[in-house]
Amino acid sequence: MCKSVTTDEWKKVFYEKMEEAKPADSWDFIIDPNLKHNVLAPGWKQYLELHASGRFHCSWCWHTWQSPHVVILFHMYLDRAQRAGSVRMRVFKQLCYECGTARLDESSMLEENIESLVDNLITSLREQCYGEPGGHYRIHVASRQDNRRHRGEFCEACQEGIVHWKPSEKLLEEEATTYTFSRAPSPTKPQAEASSGCNFCSIPWCLFWATVLLLIIYLQFSFRSSI
């Protein structure tokens, strides 16, 4: 059965995999909610995971929702002389769209997703910090195109300018079809030609004939009164 992974379990998975990948170096793993995208101290590197899968739980109304668009930011630094490195991680939060509260809620990750996320982190770390050839990044199910529209107004990463979602071609086609059918149908050619001609039942023509009729009646009464 899948279980949510806590901060300590994040660290446990990372330390175990780094011990296997780089046993001669020591690394620490720190959760930093203040980490900023593309704001790096000298010597630090960045890796951005754009399509992690996580479950959110609103602390106000208890609403839960699943998102395949969780953004995770990593900053990495290696001191080659000391053979020691540091990784800082920030998981971007989301707002609850049910109750509209301004509280940002954290996501919980499933254990099987953490394995591939840490593998990707270590692949990026080996490339950027150790200068090793490009490795193989594991593709998650969540990284595939999603047919549901992402609510960027409720996403902390989107609000900070991180573009990590775009609609799939299927979704764009569905929206285009919906827009086409929602528009009023344009008149056909015979209808257009008919509307361009004179319509004697139109309001202007009715007013014209009413005026003529009143004028005739007025002239008749004027003629009788003069006799």
Side-chain angles (χ1 to χ4, degrees):
M1 181 177 179
C2 299
K3 65 176 182 178
S4 297
V5 178
T6 64
T7 299
D8 289 338
E9 288 168 319
W10 265 99
K11 293 181 178 181
K12 179 177 179 293
V13 173
F14 174 76
Y15 291 146
E16 288 177 352
K17 288 184 176 292
M18 281 306 298
E19 179 65 25
E20 181 180 350
K22 296 293 178 182
D25 298 342
S26 62
W27 282 82
D28 60 9
F29 189 92
I30 301 170
I31 307 297
D32 186 355
N34 298 316
L35 217 58
K36 297 295 182 182
H37 180 234
N38 288 335
V39 179
L40 298 166
W44 285 75
K45 307 296 182 181
Q46 176 177 280
Y47 170 63
L48 190 64
E49 181 67 56
L50 298 175
H51 300 288
S53 179
R55 177 171 292 277
F56 292 85
H57 179 83
C58 180
S59 57
W60 182 259
C61 71
W62 308 108
H63 172 64
T64 60
W65 67 97
Q66 184 78 21
S67 174
H69 304 294
V70 181
V71 176
I72 307 176
L73 175 64
F74 297 97
H75 284 184
M76 309 165 291
Y77 177 78
L78 172 63
D79 187 334
R80 289 182 176 272
Q82 299 294 326
R83 301 192 67 89
S86 178
V87 171
R88 294 179 179 271
M89 180 185 78
R90 175 187 177 185
V91 180
F92 286 87
K93 303 175 183 179
Q94 293 185 13
L95 290 170
C96 177
Y97 55 85
E98 285 290 332
C99 66
T101 179
R103 295 184 181 183
L104 287 164
D105 296 292
E106 297 180 351
S107 67
S108 59
M109 299 289 171
L110 298 179
E111 190 172 12
E112 69 271 16
N113 291 336
I114 294 297
E115 295 287 333
S116 58
L117 291 171
V118 173
D119 283 342
N120 285 349
L121 167 63
I122 293 176
T123 298
S124 178
L125 187 149
R126 298 180 73 157
E127 290 177 356
Q128 298 192 71
C129 295
Y130 289 95
E132 297 180 359
H136 175 68
Y137 287 86
R138 296 178 62 178
I139 301 176
H140 323 300
V141 174
S143 66
R144 300 172 185 170
Q145 285 187 324
D146 184 51
N147 293 328
R148 296 171 295 174
R149 178 163 291 281
H150 175 60
R151 300 187 177 190
E153 66 272 23
F154 297 100
C155 174
E156 186 181 31
C158 290
Q159 296 304 309
E160 294 194 14
I162 300 176
V163 180
H164 64 105
W165 181 87
K166 64 179 180 179
S168 64
E169 293 181 0
K170 180 179 179 181
L171 181 58
L172 290 174
E173 290 175 358
E174 290 176 352
E175 290 184 347
T177 303
T178 302
Y179 174 73
T180 301
F181 281 103
S182 64
R183 294 178 59 188
S186 58
T188 59
K189 185 175 181 181
Q191 290 175 336
E193 292 176 352
S195 62
S196 62
C198 295
N199 185 1
F200 291 97
C201 294
S202 62
I203 293 177
W205 278 104
C206 289
L207 292 175
F208 171 77
W209 290 117
T211 304
V212 171
L213 181 60
L214 290 174
L215 181 60
I216 293 173
I217 295 173
Y218 173 77
L219 291 175
Q220 287 180 345
F221 276 102
S222 298
F223 178 77
R224 289 178 182 179
S225 60
S226 62
I227 296 176

